[in-house]
């Protein structure tokens, strides 16, 4: 769309620097942070700087909220990466994140995989389940909306930790793949094991947040 204060976006632009997966993930997680449209600021963000703007009825209302890139109702997002210098099982990577990007970890899956973990193949929005990877991320996201500016740092610390581990994991798998007798099976097993680790870590984070941020308190111990 167009903005009264801004010209229409061009069809394409030349990047200032080489585009990386990390850079694209930062874009997907954005709420216009640090710009005049920053959704974490102003009265609409409430006392805890929450960038979420839920949908509401459009009747008799003029105007609307800015639409962030990281929408609260995002089911999943991904970045596809190809590297022709590597075999297909290593060179084609789908960086896949569940729920809203700002609170997700993008795990790598190979384009040659024939199977992903069961937790990534199940889940209904209408039925909560701790067996679903999507619910792990969606639950943590929704809990963080209670007091976003206070809870967000805990989520972000885990997110940065596991995203860094994900990039390191891909490079480790590429190094160790040289010794694999069945490249596709090796990469699939390694990626699925890592994705399961991330989901387990996210449920652990969820229960930590439940105990730490409840009843208006920040609980750090029994004292």
């Amino acid at each position: 769309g167009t903005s009264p204060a801004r010209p229409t976006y061009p069809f394409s632009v030349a990047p200032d620097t080489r585009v990386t997966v990390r850079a694209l993930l930062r874009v997907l997680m954005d709420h216009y942070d640090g710009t005049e449209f920053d959704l974490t600021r102003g009265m609409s963000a409430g006392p805890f700087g929450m960038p979420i703007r839920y949908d509401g009825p459009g009747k008799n209302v003029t105007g609307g909220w800015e639409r962030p890139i990281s929408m609260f109702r995002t089911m999943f997002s991904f970045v596809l990466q190809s590297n022709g210098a590597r075999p297909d099982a290593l060179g084609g990577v789908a960086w896949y994140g569940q729920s809203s990007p700002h609170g997700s970890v993008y795990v790598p899956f190979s384009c040659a995989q024939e199977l992903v973990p069961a937790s990534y193949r199940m889940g209904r929005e209408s039925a909560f389940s701790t067996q679903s990877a999507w619910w792990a991320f969606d639950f943590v996201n929704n809990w963080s909306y209670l007091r976003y500016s206070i809870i967000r740092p805990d989520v972000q610390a885990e997110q940065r930790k596991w995203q860094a581990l994900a990039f390191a994991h891909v490079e480790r798998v590429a190094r160790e793949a040289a010794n694999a007798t069945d490249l596709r099976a090796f990469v699939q097993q390694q990626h699925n094991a890592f994705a399961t680790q991330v989901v387990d870590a996210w449920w652990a984070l969820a229960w930590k947040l439940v105990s730490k941020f409840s009843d208006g308190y920040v609980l750090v111990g029994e004292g």
Side-chain angles (χ1 to χ4, degrees):
T2 60
S3 164
R6 297 289 183 275
T8 301
Y9 291 126
F11 172 75
S12 63
V13 296
D16 296 327
T17 59
R18 184 172 181 173
V19 177
T20 65
V21 172
R22 288 175 175 83
L24 290 176
L25 297 187
R26 285 196 298 272
V27 170
L28 290 177
M29 298 175 187
D30 194 61
H31 299 110
Y32 310 125
D33 307 70
T35 74
E36 62 185 295
F37 303 109
D38 193 334
L39 292 173
T40 65
R41 300 177 182 176
M43 291 184 63
S44 300
F48 299 111
M50 187 177 77
I52 310 305
R53 303 290 185 272
Y54 295 119
D55 294 334
K59 299 176 182 178
N60 303 317
V61 175
T62 300
W65 304 117
E66 298 290 348
R67 182 188 176 97
I69 299 173
S70 183
M71 283 288 287
F72 69 90
R73 63 172 181 265
T74 303
M75 300 300 290
F76 65 91
S77 56
F78 56 88
V79 170
L80 301 180
Q81 180 185 26
S82 62
N83 183 342
R86 288 178 171 175
D88 289 349
L90 295 172
V93 181
W95 294 93
Y96 182 72
Q98 304 238 58
S99 189
S100 298
H102 62 260
S104 188
V105 174
Y106 287 82
V107 298
F109 289 121
S110 167
C111 68
Q113 285 191 220
E114 297 177 349
L115 194 67
V116 296
S119 65
Y120 277 81
R121 304 196 308 272
M122 66 164 293
R124 289 186 298 157
E125 195 174 10
S126 60
F128 176 81
S129 172
T130 56
Q131 303 304 306
S132 165
W134 181 82
W135 266 115
F137 291 102
D138 198 65
F139 180 86
V140 167
N141 276 339
N142 274 272
W143 198 265
S144 74
Y145 300 158
L146 296 175
R147 284 178 283 165
Y148 189 82
S149 60
I150 296 174
I151 301 175
R152 171 63 178 160
D154 283 43
V155 178
Q156 196 170 46
E158 284 295 296
Q159 182 186 42
R160 287 173 174 167
K161 167 188 168 182
W162 283 99
Q163 197 61 68
L165 287 172
F167 287 120
H169 161 81
V170 166
E171 294 308 312
R172 178 187 62 78
V173 170
R175 291 193 302 270
E176 296 179 0
N179 301 318
T181 54
D182 185 333
L183 179 60
R184 183 202 59 78
F186 171 76
V187 174
Q188 175 174 295
Q189 186 277 327
Q190 292 290 309
H191 285 351
N192 286 356
F194 180 79
T196 299
Q197 264 191 297
V198 172
V199 174
D200 290 345
W202 228 246
W203 280 122
L205 172 63
W207 310 139
K208 177 184 175 182
L209 297 179
V210 168
S211 63
K212 184 175 180 179
F213 302 100
S214 294
D215 297 328
Y217 295 112
V218 178
L219 301 168
V220 295
E222 294 303 313

